[in-house]
Amino acid sequence: MFLINFLLIILGIYVVFSLLITPIQYNYYLAIKEMEDKQKKQGKSQPEMYEEMSFQEDYLHYNVQSNAFFWLPNIFAAIYYRITHPKQE
């Protein structure tokens, strides 16, 4: 019983942490989308976009996407982005 309570507390802390970090991740998500749009207008592919990034940007991007602590905030930010920016056909 103690283990279950402990795991629920840890999970609750992670969810609260994720909700607090979501605005930061959302701003990062917006910046990446803007970079992708700019690269598409220039006719460049996504790999070319990442090749042209500075080392700092590339390292930040790698950390944000590969760190397990940021998975849930990234999902929240992506969902919020899709809600606030519906596809226009």
Side-chain angles (χ1 to χ4, degrees):
M1 188 68 178
F2 173 75
L3 181 61
I4 293 173
N5 287 339
F6 179 73
L7 290 176
L8 287 175
I9 290 171
I10 296 297
L11 180 64
I13 291 171
Y14 179 66
V15 169
V16 169
F17 168 78
S18 297
L19 291 172
L20 292 173
I21 297 298
T22 298
I24 297 168
Q25 294 301 100
Y26 178 72
N27 288 334
Y28 166 76
Y29 197 80
L30 282 177
I32 291 295
K33 288 295 185 183
E34 288 173 5
M35 285 175 55
E36 288 176 355
D37 290 343
K38 187 170 79 170
Q39 295 296 340
K40 283 181 185 177
K41 288 179 183 175
Q42 294 175 352
K44 295 182 181 176
S45 66
Q46 190 174 15
E48 291 172 333
M49 177 183 80
Y50 290 117
E51 283 180 18
E52 292 178 358
M53 281 185 179
S54 68
F55 174 76
Q56 292 87 358
E57 288 176 323
D58 192 32
Y59 189 72
L60 174 67
H61 182 73
Y62 172 76
N63 271 338
V64 168
Q65 289 203 337
S66 64
N67 193 335
F69 288 115
F70 294 123
W71 288 347
L72 192 57
N74 283 339
I75 291 170
F76 288 161
I79 290 169
Y80 184 71
Y81 179 84
R82 289 184 181 154
I83 290 170
T84 58
H85 296 88
K87 285 187 177 181
Q88 296 176 2
E89 295 181 21

